[in-house]
């Protein structure tokens, strides 16, 4: 389960907690359970641990024998299988992640006791505990180091085909593996964690297209931090138009509310969402003729204009059809309040005639300041905003024919905008704001809070 908050918007994906400052466009908090799921998938289920343990080179085990025992040598010892691997995670406040891997290692080799040679199988329980710490943050990347790695061997079972094994061989195997295996396994854990780090950084540092309009470049903004309840990640989200021009957004801090029972928390700041909205709503003017077969709102506006046009304007009542042009006036502004999102948007409404000489007669130029209600949803890993008209404030900008009183036009302009402009805007916004695939945790069963 995920949750997302808009400050912003917060998306909850299952286990989380307390108050934290948000320092960039997005902030993420990942629960211990989510980290355990992520690392189990990357290290165990995807076969990464098995793959790198497969290359273990184990030294030969030799004994010279004694008065009563024949010389014994075990050679060609190699890993056959990692059985029942399991992984657990504990978050260490201010340090990082404590990783514990338990497994049964099945080893096989050749055993020579005196003159008798046969295959030998060894099954050994191992438990590896290591502290994983992030360091050296630079340009969205960090390194991980493995500290305090401890490898403990448990039960060791030794078997040969003939079933003839002396107690001394068992003791020899136990002694040699206890001395050598820890020095071999801890470096493997270090290699695996560095590969996983590269893989997980790829989910945080990504350039994602926003349709054909531009991109959002997500990048780790600072070194990860841990409390006992979550791993914290701050991300920058640079919104860029085609051509590389960045649309800026404010990155001042905001307090994160306390959360429980979530796997992932993704917080999007109001200013970041607004920069993405600005990128998407760079639409060209919408122009159409005002004829009976077009839009009912446009027709009613046409009829209303006939009642307020000055008597001397004979051309206004001519046979040439009126044209209406809708243009966005400036950038949208998203406003977030408790459990409510709205968008303020200005639209210029021009009603004009094309004269025979090619010039334009501007009957009316209006400015409509719209208050749009916003419905927020997550679709396919994207934040989708759908707008509905809440309020309209209309003002007269200019008129070439002397119109001054526009009060009768208000309901008709609202209908016109609902029928013509909002479907176009919602069609554009359907592409959604792409969200980062944080550590590969899917945004399913998402709760959204504003």
């Amino acid at each position: 389960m995920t949750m997302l908050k808009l400050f912003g918007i917060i998306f909850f994906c299952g286990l989380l907690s307390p108050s934290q400052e948000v320092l960039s466009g997005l902030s993420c908090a990942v629960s211990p359970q989510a980290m355990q799921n992520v690392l189990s998938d990357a290290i165990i289920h995807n076969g990464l641990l098995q793959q790198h343990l497969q290359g273990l080179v184990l030294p030969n085990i030799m004994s010279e024998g004694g008065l009563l025992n024949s010389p014994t040598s075990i050679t060609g010892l190699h890993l056959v299988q990692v059985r029942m691997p399991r992984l657990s995670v504990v978050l260490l406040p201010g340090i990082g992640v404590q990783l514990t891997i338990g497994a049964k290692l099945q080893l096989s080799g050749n055993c020579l006791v005196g003159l008798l040679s046969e295959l030998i199988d060894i099954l050994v329980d191992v438990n590896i505990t290591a502290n994983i710490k992030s360091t050296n943050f630079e340009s969205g990347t960090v390194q991980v180091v493995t500290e305090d790695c401890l490898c403990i061997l448990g039960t060791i079972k030794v078997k040969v085909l003939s079933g003839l094994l002396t107690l001394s061989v068992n003791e020899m195997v136990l002694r040699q593996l206890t001395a050598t295996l820890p020095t071999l396994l801890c470096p493997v854990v270090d290699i695996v964690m560095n590969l996983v780090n590269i893989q997980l950084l790829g989910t945080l540092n990504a350039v994602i297209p926003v349709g054909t309009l531009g991109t959002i470049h997500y990048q780790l903004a600072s070194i990860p931090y841990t409390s006992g309840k979550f791993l914290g990640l701050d991300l920058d989200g640079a919104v860029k138009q085609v051509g590389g021009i960045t649309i800026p957004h404010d990155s001042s801090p905001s307090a994160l509310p306390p959360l429980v029972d979530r796997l992932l928390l993704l917080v999007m700041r109001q200013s970041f969402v607004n920069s993405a909205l600005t990128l998407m709503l760079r639409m060209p003017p919408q122009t159409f003729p005002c004829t009976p077969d077009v839009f009912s709102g446009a027709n009613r506006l046409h009829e209303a204009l006939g009642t307020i046009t000055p008597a001397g304007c004979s051309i206004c009542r001519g046979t040439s059809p009126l044209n209406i042009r809708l243009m966005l006036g400036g950038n949208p502004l998203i406003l977030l309040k408790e459990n409510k999102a709205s968008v303020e948007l200005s639209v210029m409404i021009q009603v004009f005639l094309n004269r025979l000489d090619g010039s334009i007669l501007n009957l009316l130029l209006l400015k409509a300041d719209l208050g749009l209600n916003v419905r927020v949803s997550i679709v396919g890993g994207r934040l989708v905003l759908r707008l509905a008209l809440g309020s309209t404030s209309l003002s007269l900008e200019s008129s070439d024919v002397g119109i001054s009183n526009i009060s009768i036009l208000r309901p008709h302009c609202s209908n016109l905008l609902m029928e013509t402009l909002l479907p176009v805007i919602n069609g554009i916004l359907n592409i959604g704001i792409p969200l980062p695939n944080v550590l590969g945790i899917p945004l399913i069963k998402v709760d959204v809070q504003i």
Side-chain angles (χ1 to χ4, degrees):
M1 223 171 149
T2 309
M3 188 157 198
L4 181 150
K5 275 206 180 185
L6 260 165
F7 252 131
I9 302 181
I10 301 188
F11 305 84
F12 296 92
C13 185
L15 254 165
L16 244 256
S17 123
S19 181
Q20 179 70 36
E21 292 296 296
V22 181
L23 300 176
S24 53
L26 292 92
S27 185
C28 308
V30 183
S31 76
Q33 182 61 53
M35 279 304 303
Q36 184 165 306
N37 295 344
V38 167
L39 293 177
S40 289
D41 284 344
I43 294 173
I44 293 176
H45 300 150
N46 292 340
L48 194 61
L49 182 66
Q50 169 89 26
Q51 174 188 340
H52 286 272
L53 286 177
Q54 207 75 49
L56 276 182
V57 178
L58 290 125
N60 294 335
I61 299 174
M62 314 287 290
S63 79
E64 296 180 357
L67 292 176
L68 299 177
N69 295 319
S70 302
T72 302
S73 64
I74 300 174
T75 59
L77 204 57
H78 62 279
L79 181 79
V80 175
Q81 185 181 8
V82 180
R83 294 187 184 180
M84 297 185 294
R86 56 202 179 277
L87 180 148
S88 62
V89 166
V90 175
L91 300 181
L92 304 176
I95 298 175
V97 174
Q98 184 178 79
L99 186 71
T100 300
I101 299 173
K104 293 179 181 292
L105 303 184
Q106 182 183 348
L107 309 173
S108 185
N110 296 310
C111 180
L112 178 66
V113 181
L115 298 176
L116 179 64
S117 177
E118 58 183 320
L119 294 177
I120 186 170
D121 285 317
I122 302 170
L123 192 63
V124 53
D125 288 339
V126 297
N127 201 71
I128 309 166
T129 301
N131 294 343
I132 312 299
K133 185 177 181 180
S134 297
T135 185
N136 296 338
F137 173 80
E138 184 179 357
S139 301
T141 64
V142 295
Q143 294 178 337
V144 295
V145 293
T146 304
E147 298 181 339
D148 303 322
C149 183
L150 177 65
C151 180
I152 299 176
L153 271 58
T155 304
I156 295 180
K157 296 180 180 178
V158 183
K159 182 175 67 174
V160 294
L161 189 61
S162 66
L164 299 175
L165 270 181
T166 65
L167 185 60
S168 62
V169 172
N170 279 288
E171 291 174 348
M172 179 182 69
V173 170
L174 175 61
R175 185 172 60 252
Q176 292 289 338
L177 290 184
T178 301
T180 58
L181 263 184
T183 61
L184 297 174
L185 295 178
C186 283
V188 170
V189 171
D190 188 55
I191 292 170
V192 166
M193 284 309 303
N194 275 279
L195 292 172
V196 169
N197 180 53
I198 294 169
Q199 174 187 328
L200 297 183
L201 280 175
T203 70
L204 305 176
N205 300 337
V207 178
I208 309 176
V210 185
T212 59
L213 304 170
T215 60
I216 297 180
H217 185 181
Y218 290 110
Q219 187 176 49
L220 189 64
S222 61
I223 200 161
Y225 52 92
T226 53
S227 74
K229 297 183 178 179
F230 66 87
L231 170 74
L233 303 166
D234 283 331
L235 302 181
D236 284 332
V239 181
K240 296 185 178 183
Q241 305 172 44
V242 171
I245 300 173
T246 299
I247 301 173
H249 63 272
D250 175 32
S251 294
S252 57
S254 300
L256 189 68
L259 304 168
V260 292
D261 298 331
R262 305 292 175 179
L263 292 176
L264 169 70
L265 169 73
L266 175 61
V267 179
M268 302 181 68
R269 292 186 48 76
Q270 174 175 294
S271 56
F272 170 76
V273 178
N274 206 73
S275 63
L277 195 60
T278 298
L279 171 68
M280 290 190 285
L281 290 186
R282 293 181 178 275
M283 54 183 287
Q286 306 290 305
T287 304
F288 49 88
C290 183
T291 58
D293 58 344
V294 184
F295 302 104
S296 59
N299 294 332
R300 289 194 292 271
L301 178 60
H302 190 176
E303 294 168 2
L305 276 173
T307 67
I308 62 173
T309 302
C313 182
S314 58
I315 192 172
C316 302
R317 302 174 181 80
T319 57
S320 298
L322 294 182
N323 294 289
I324 297 177
R325 178 176 292 132
L326 303 178
M327 302 162 286
L328 299 187
N331 294 325
L333 176 63
I334 190 165
L335 300 174
L336 302 172
K337 298 179 181 179
E338 190 73 19
N339 299 320
K340 182 181 180 181
S342 61
V343 169
E344 292 183 352
L345 184 65
S346 293
V347 179
M348 307 304 294
I349 304 173
Q350 183 184 21
V351 184
F352 64 96
L353 284 170
N354 292 313
R355 288 174 164 153
L356 294 177
D357 61 4
S359 63
I360 289 177
L361 177 66
N362 179 43
L363 271 63
L364 203 59
L365 181 63
L366 304 172
K367 181 184 179 184
D369 291 319
L370 308 181
L372 302 168
N373 299 323
V374 181
R375 190 180 70 200
V376 182
S377 61
I378 302 294
V379 180
R382 292 172 176 258
L383 176 68
V384 177
L385 308 178
R386 187 162 187 83
L387 309 182
L389 188 60
S391 63
T392 306
S393 175
L394 207 61
S395 60
L396 176 64
E397 295 289 303
S398 64
S399 172
D400 291 348
V401 296
I403 295 176
S404 58
N405 183 0
I406 59 169
S407 58
I408 194 174
L409 302 180
R410 296 181 194 278
H412 307 304
C413 286
S414 294
N415 289 335
L416 172 70
L417 294 170
M418 282 193 295
E419 293 173 358
T420 60
L421 185 66
L422 277 183
V424 174
I425 289 177
N426 282 325
I428 293 172
L429 295 182
N430 268 341
I431 62 175
I433 302 171
L435 302 174
N437 182 25
V438 176
L439 305 184
I441 300 172
L443 290 174
I444 57 175
K445 297 183 180 178
V446 179
D447 295 330
V448 180
Q449 288 188 7
I450 300 175

